[in-house]
């Protein structure tokens, strides 16, 4: 540790730290633009100049290493004059357009100009103008003249996004930020460039000119998309969601969010929203009141139970639904005497439940991995924030190996083994054989210790922090249980953690509350084939969310009653009842992310039209049916009943252990059904800006599942 004196107080920081780090530790604010705690140091704005004793001139705090006994003054006349001079320089070319700037009210340049800017400019020459560039549907560059060349966006692309899509060209006063790789910025994390831009050069295209920052209320929430469970700030005006930005949580999403977390809010007020219950009468849809709709559903369930038995009733639920909704859906179905409930619509194998599958390690630990094997995942698109953490680990020397059906561009150094879907089990068996060879033990299955397998084995046998991660495609594989069993054996021999990246916001929670058959009930595939007579569809669209795809209508043709609970007008081809339920912004609830963290949130706006929270709809329906044990007055009551006061599922509740036999069978196998990045759920599918991205266009060309 090194001790320095900062504005008269003693501060101890680690050797190699910069003066800026010492200031952060001492809660001393030093003005800056280019410095960002998650990015490399550029020291090109010079706003953080400070007075260092015995230094011949002011020094940049972000790039000046601390030394023992250093004396630093941040508010001396020397420092203040230097900072004022830098501010004058930065404002030379800056347009005087604060009143129309989207950054107004949350602009670092605007704030610091008040304290360090002059009342008039001494610059009389012609000001530079930078023409706008169309870099995609998410980021606006209408006023790039505002850019102060801090290069935060450039460094973000290189270091966090993994792809240098923006760069600086030309020199001197002709310098400008522009695309250097293609015409557009296509990173799945690109929206974070808007947040870190300290001026109004990069702004949100969907949000542009829609509200002023001081008009917005800020409310905490949780992302309903992938299994990261990213923490969000949802900004609201007049009970309408206007913008979504990250809420910093170092253990989960750090200070980043994926673009689908940021821009999916556009779907919340789209034309597809369902605002009143609807019944299909004589092939025509009619709006009705809630009482009529619920009585219709209750009578239909009673008729089906009386005629076909309780086992003819089933529910297909989305793992993007809240913990409370999933629990009550299970309570309703099981209260009626059925065990037909499932959230695994994209799965091809339906093994008996053994444990709650999870990541197998804390999310934050991904950043410190020394070696990792990823099987069956397009990591960058399936889990952008997990990929970002592994990218940081790779920058520090982590060895990344991947087994997939194709070599994906993950924007990080990785060794890809291209193996057909049908041969994934054999590829893992080969790795197991290589591990067995290296350790001198018996292999669990016949395999060949190929050069690639040996390289993976040696990487997993070295170092202290290593993991085997099974992706969405591995979870949806026809031999999913065998893949897990092989991963378990390899992990046991190498000391690696192993687990699933998990697909959706609440995949872990869905397993925990039993949103899958327990006592021999029908699985998702069987229900989609029409083996039930009454079917609930909770927050899911089987045509997009299931293996059946477009054939789902044919499979459900003989089902007497299909009830869809959704925020959107969907499933209309085969549904008989549509019940409008609230999306995550209009209801309270909880999600359990990949690491088993229970995160609750509140409604940020009032429900649209006659929309109702799904947990309340399910509870009322259970009450009408005369079921006991579901008299909850709030979602918090349901949560307390399910998990108590826990904010983290315990080790006794989470388990990737499996007793599945390892029998590697080679032969033809269907490709696992995996949703592309902007087809994952109903919200992202209906977000206009997201559907204009390169990833969305590519998915449409290749099919919804990619």
């Amino acid at each position: 540790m090194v001790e320095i004196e900062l504005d008269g107080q003693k501060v101890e920081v680690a050797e190699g730290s910069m003066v800026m780090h010492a200031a952060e530790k001492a809660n001393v604010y030093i003005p800056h633009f280019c410095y960002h705690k998650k990015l490399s140091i550029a020291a090109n704005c010079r706003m953080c100049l400070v007075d260092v004793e015995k230094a011949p001139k002011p020094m940049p705090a972000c790039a000046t290493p601390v030394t023992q006994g250093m004396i630093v003054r941040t508010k001396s006349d020397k420092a203040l004059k230097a900072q004022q001079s830098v501010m004058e320089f930065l404002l030379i070319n800056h347009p005087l357009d604060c009143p129309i700037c989207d950054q107004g009210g949350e602009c670092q340049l605007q704030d610091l100009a008040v304290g360090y800017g002059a009342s008039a400019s001494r610059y009389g020459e012609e000001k530079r103008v930078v023409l706008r560039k169309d870099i995609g549907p998410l980021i606006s560059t209408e006023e790039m003249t505002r850019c102060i060349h801090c290069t935060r966006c450039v460094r973000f692309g290189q270091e966090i996004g993994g792809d240098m899509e923006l760069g600086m060209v030309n020199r001197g006063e002709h310098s400008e930020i522009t695309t250097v790789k293609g015409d557009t910025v296509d990173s799945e994390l690109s929206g974070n460039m808007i947040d870190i831009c300290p001026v109004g050069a990069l702004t949100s295209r969907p949000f542009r000119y829609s509200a002023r920052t001081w008009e917005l209320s800020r409310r905490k929430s949780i992302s309903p998309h992938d299994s990261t469970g990213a923490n969000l700030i949802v900004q609201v005006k007049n009970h309408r969601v206007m913008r979504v930005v990250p809420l910093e949580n170092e253990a989960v999403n750090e200070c980043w969010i994926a673009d689908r977390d940021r821009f999916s809010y556009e779907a919340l007020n789209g034309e597809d929203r369902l605002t009143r219950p609807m019944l299909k009468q004589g092939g025509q849809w009619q709006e009705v009141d809630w009482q009529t709709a619920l009585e219709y559903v209750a009578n239909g369930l009673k008729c089906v139970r009386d005629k076909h038995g309780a086992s003819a009733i089933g529910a297909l639920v989305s793992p993007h639904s809240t913990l409370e909704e999933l629990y009550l859906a299970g309570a309703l179905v099981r209260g009626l005497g059925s065990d037909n409930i499932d959230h695994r619509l994209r799965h091809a194998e339906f093994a008996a439940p053994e444990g709650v599958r999870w990541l197998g390690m804390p999310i934050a630990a991904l950043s410190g991995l020394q070696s990792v094997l990823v099987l069956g995942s397009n990591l960058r698109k399936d889990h952008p924030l997990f990929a970002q953490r592994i990218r940081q680990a790779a920058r520090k020397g982590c060895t990344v190996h991947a087994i997939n059906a194709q070599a994906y561009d993950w924007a990080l150094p990785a060794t890809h083994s291209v193996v057909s879907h049908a041969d994934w089990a054999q590829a893992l068996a080969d790795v197991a054989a290589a591990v067995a060879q290296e350790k001198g033990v018996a292999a669990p299955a016949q395999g060949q210790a190929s050069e690639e397998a040996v390289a993976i084995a040696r990487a997993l046998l070295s170092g202290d922090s290593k993991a085997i991660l099974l992706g969405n495609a591995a979870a949806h594989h026809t031999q999913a249980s065998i893949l897990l069993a092989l991963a378990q054996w390899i992990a046991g021999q190498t000391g690696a953690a192993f687990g699933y990246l998990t697909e959706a916001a609440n995949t872990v929670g869905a397993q925990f509350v039993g949103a899958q058959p327990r006592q021999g009930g029908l699985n998702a595939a069987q229900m989609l084939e029409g083996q039930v007579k009454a079917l609930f569809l909770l927050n899911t669209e089987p045509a997009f969310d299931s293996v059946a795809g477009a054939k789902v209508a044919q499979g459900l043709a003989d089902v007497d009653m299909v009830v869809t609970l959704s925020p959107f007008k969907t499933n209309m081809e085969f549904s008989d009842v549509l019940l409008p339920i609230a999306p995550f912004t209009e209801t309270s609830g909880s999600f359990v992310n990949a690491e088993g963290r229970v995160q609750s949130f509140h409604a940020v706006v009032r429900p649209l039209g006659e929309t109702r929270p799904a947990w309340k709809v399910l509870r009322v329906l259970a009450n009408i049916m005369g079921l006991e044990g579901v008299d909850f007055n709030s979602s918090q009551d349901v949560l307390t009943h399910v998990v108590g006061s826990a904010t983290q599922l315990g080790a006794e509740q989470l388990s990737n252990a499996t007793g599945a036999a390892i029998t590697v069978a080679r032969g033809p196998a269907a490709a696992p059904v995996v949703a592309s990045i902007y087809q994952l759920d109903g919200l992202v599918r209906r977000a206009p800006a997201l559907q204009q991205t390169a990833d969305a266009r590519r998915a449409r060309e290749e099919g919804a599942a990619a």
Side-chain angles (χ1 to χ4, degrees):
M1 299 294 284
V2 175
E3 185 179 83
I4 72 168
E5 183 181 309
L6 184 70
D7 289 346
Q9 60 175 311
K10 302 290 185 181
V11 185
E12 276 195 357
V13 290
E15 190 174 354
S17 299
M18 303 297 163
V19 171
M20 183 69 81
H21 301 142
E24 288 178 340
K25 188 174 181 180
N27 281 327
V28 173
Y29 178 72
I30 299 176
H32 61 273
F33 294 112
C34 69
Y35 172 77
H36 191 281
K37 62 182 180 180
K38 292 292 182 180
L39 303 177
S40 62
I41 291 169
N44 53 7
C45 78
R46 319 307 281 188
M47 191 65 208
C48 64
L49 292 175
V50 293
D51 181 9
V52 178
E53 193 169 275
K54 296 181 181 179
K57 59 181 181 180
M59 304 294 288
C62 67
T64 302
V66 294
T67 58
Q68 184 64 37
M70 175 186 277
I71 299 174
V72 181
R73 301 180 184 89
T74 68
K75 295 178 176 63
S76 66
D77 286 343
K78 186 177 180 181
L80 290 173
K81 285 179 180 178
Q83 292 163 359
Q84 288 166 356
S85 297
V86 170
M87 177 58 70
E88 183 180 18
F89 177 76
L90 290 175
L91 292 175
I92 278 175
N93 279 301
H94 203 82
L96 301 176
D97 63 348
C98 291
I100 64 160
C101 181
D102 255 23
Q103 197 82 357
E106 52 188 9
C107 175
Q108 284 181 251
L109 186 69
Q110 192 178 54
D111 294 341
L112 292 179
V114 173
Y116 300 89
S119 58
S121 176
R122 292 179 289 173
Y123 185 81
E125 287 75 14
E126 184 179 349
K127 291 194 174 188
R128 73 180 182 121
V129 175
V130 181
L131 298 178
R132 65 173 296 277
K133 305 167 185 68
D134 186 356
I135 63 171
L138 305 180
I139 302 175
S140 173
T141 61
E142 287 288 338
E143 287 87 16
M144 283 300 289
T145 304
R146 298 170 183 161
C147 178
I148 61 169
H149 303 151
C150 70
T151 68
R152 280 185 177 183
C153 56
V154 178
R155 286 175 284 146
F156 174 87
Q158 287 177 298
E159 299 163 17
I160 307 300
D163 203 358
M164 185 177 169
E165 295 179 293
L166 293 178
M168 185 179 288
V169 297
N170 303 325
R171 300 187 67 181
E173 69 172 2
H174 303 294
S175 299
E176 61 179 272
I177 300 292
T178 186
T179 52
V180 295
K181 186 176 178 181
D183 293 330
T184 57
V185 174
D186 299 320
S187 168
E188 62 284 349
L189 299 171
S190 65
N192 294 291
M193 295 180 185
I194 300 166
D195 292 336
I196 63 175
C197 180
V199 297
L202 302 178
T203 54
S204 171
R205 200 161 179 174
F207 174 72
R208 189 172 173 83
Y209 297 145
S210 59
R212 310 299 290 180
T213 180
W214 54 84
E215 299 173 325
L216 302 174
S217 301
R218 290 158 174 81
R219 294 158 189 176
K220 298 177 182 179
S221 192
I222 304 296
S223 168
H225 305 303
D226 63 38
S227 58
T228 308
N231 291 205
L232 311 175
I233 294 290
V234 181
Q235 301 185 347
V236 175
K237 178 184 177 183
N238 296 332
H239 287 282
R240 185 183 177 97
V241 176
M242 306 301 293
R243 186 167 63 168
V244 174
V245 295
L247 172 62
E248 185 171 351
N249 186 335
E250 197 65 26
V252 180
N253 57 297
E254 300 176 88
C255 55
W256 317 119
I257 55 174
D259 287 351
R260 63 184 170 197
D261 302 327
R262 184 183 301 272
F263 297 108
S264 64
Y265 74 89
E266 285 190 291
L268 297 170
N269 299 297
E271 295 179 357
D272 278 354
R273 280 296 303 270
L274 178 67
T275 57
R276 292 196 66 190
M278 299 180 75
L279 297 181
K280 187 186 286 182
Q281 300 288 340
Q284 300 295 317
W285 285 100
Q286 297 179 357
E287 292 185 345
V288 297
D289 59 78
W290 270 103
Q291 188 68 27
T292 303
L294 291 174
E295 287 178 357
Y296 181 93
V297 173
N299 291 332
L301 290 174
K302 290 174 182 175
C303 289
V304 168
R305 186 170 59 177
D306 294 343
K307 187 175 180 181
H308 303 283
S311 59
I313 299 170
L316 293 172
V317 297
S318 169
H320 299 278
S321 299
T322 67
L323 198 69
E324 297 82 353
E325 293 164 1
L326 293 171
Y327 173 78
L328 287 170
L332 173 62
V333 171
R334 292 190 171 102
L336 293 171
S338 175
D339 192 42
N340 304 332
I341 182 171
D342 210 346
H343 71 278
R344 302 166 296 175
L345 277 76
R346 295 192 178 101
H347 286 229
E349 183 195 69
F350 300 92
E354 293 179 286
V356 176
R357 307 308 192 201
W358 67 300
L359 185 61
M361 59 193 300
I363 291 173
L366 293 173
S367 303
L369 289 174
Q370 294 170 311
S371 59
V372 60
L373 169 62
V374 181
L375 171 70
S377 175
N378 184 359
L379 183 65
R380 181 180 174 186
K381 304 301 179 182
D382 293 347
H383 301 91
L385 293 174
F386 290 174
Q388 185 275 132
R389 284 190 178 271
I390 293 175
R391 188 172 297 120
Q392 301 315 307
R395 285 170 58 86
K396 294 179 283 188
C398 175
T399 304
V400 182
H401 288 272
I403 298 175
N404 278 306
Q406 65 183 86
Y408 296 106
D409 177 14
W410 289 352
L412 59 84
T415 303
H416 294 270
S417 299
V418 179
V419 179
S420 69
H421 298 104
D423 295 332
W424 283 358
Q426 186 59 59
L428 267 190
D430 292 348
V431 175
V435 171
Q437 178 179 288
E438 292 288 318
K439 294 196 67 176
V441 298
Q446 187 173 356
Q448 182 179 358
S450 63
E451 186 177 337
E452 287 182 338
V454 170
I456 295 171
R458 288 175 178 173
L460 291 174
L461 285 165
S462 63
D464 299 321
S465 182
K466 48 245 181 142
I468 302 169
L469 303 176
L470 304 178
N472 296 351
H476 304 168
H477 199 273
T478 54
Q479 301 180 49
S481 58
I482 296 170
L483 296 177
L484 179 61
L486 283 164
Q488 177 179 258
W489 188 91
I490 297 168
Q493 293 296 320
T494 60
F498 75 103
Y500 287 101
L501 294 165
T502 68
E503 180 183 38
N506 212 16
T507 299
V508 175
Q511 299 172 78
F512 178 70
V513 298
Q516 58 196 46
R518 290 172 171 170
Q519 304 294 330
L522 300 177
N523 59 48
Q526 293 168 325
M527 284 187 269
L528 287 170
E529 289 171 357
Q531 297 187 30
V532 291
K533 292 300 179 182
L535 183 63
F536 285 92
L537 299 175
L538 175 60
N539 208 25
T540 185
E541 301 170 273
F544 302 98
D545 296 333
S546 74
V547 173
K551 299 178 182 177
V552 65
Q554 182 181 343
L556 299 179
D558 294 330
V559 178
D560 292 349
M561 183 176 70
V562 177
V563 182
T564 291
L565 293 86
S566 173
F568 305 105
K569 296 176 182 176
T570 186
N571 302 335
M572 300 182 79
E573 183 181 357
F574 47 81
S575 293
D576 299 286
V577 186
L578 298 182
L579 300 179
I581 61 170
F584 79 106
T585 53
E586 300 170 17
T587 184
S588 55
S590 308
F591 294 129
V592 184
N593 71 358
E595 65 178 359
R597 184 186 296 260
V598 182
Q599 300 186 108
S600 298
F601 56 92
H602 298 287
V604 300
V605 294
R606 62 185 174 216
L608 188 65
E610 295 186 22
T611 298
R612 297 290 182 268
W615 71 265
K616 190 173 291 187
V617 174
L618 292 165
R619 186 212 65 194
V620 170
L621 193 54
N623 291 340
I624 294 174
M625 297 296 296
L627 305 184
E628 297 180 355
V630 291
D631 294 324
F632 301 105
N633 294 319
S634 67
S635 64
Q636 185 60 47
D637 290 346
V638 184
L639 181 65
T640 302
H641 178 76
V642 175
V643 300
S645 59
T647 57
Q648 173 73 43
L649 298 186
E652 72 283 356
Q653 299 164 310
L654 300 169
S655 174
N656 291 317
T658 179
I662 299 176
T663 53
V664 179
R666 305 188 67 168
V673 176
V674 181
S676 62
I677 183 170
Y678 299 131
Q679 290 290 327
L680 183 62
D681 58 67
L683 280 174
V684 296
R685 285 195 287 268
R686 291 173 172 85
L690 293 178
Q691 294 306 315
Q692 295 171 31
T693 60
D695 282 318
R697 292 196 304 271
R698 194 177 303 114
R700 286 194 293 272
E701 293 167 2
E702 298 173 0

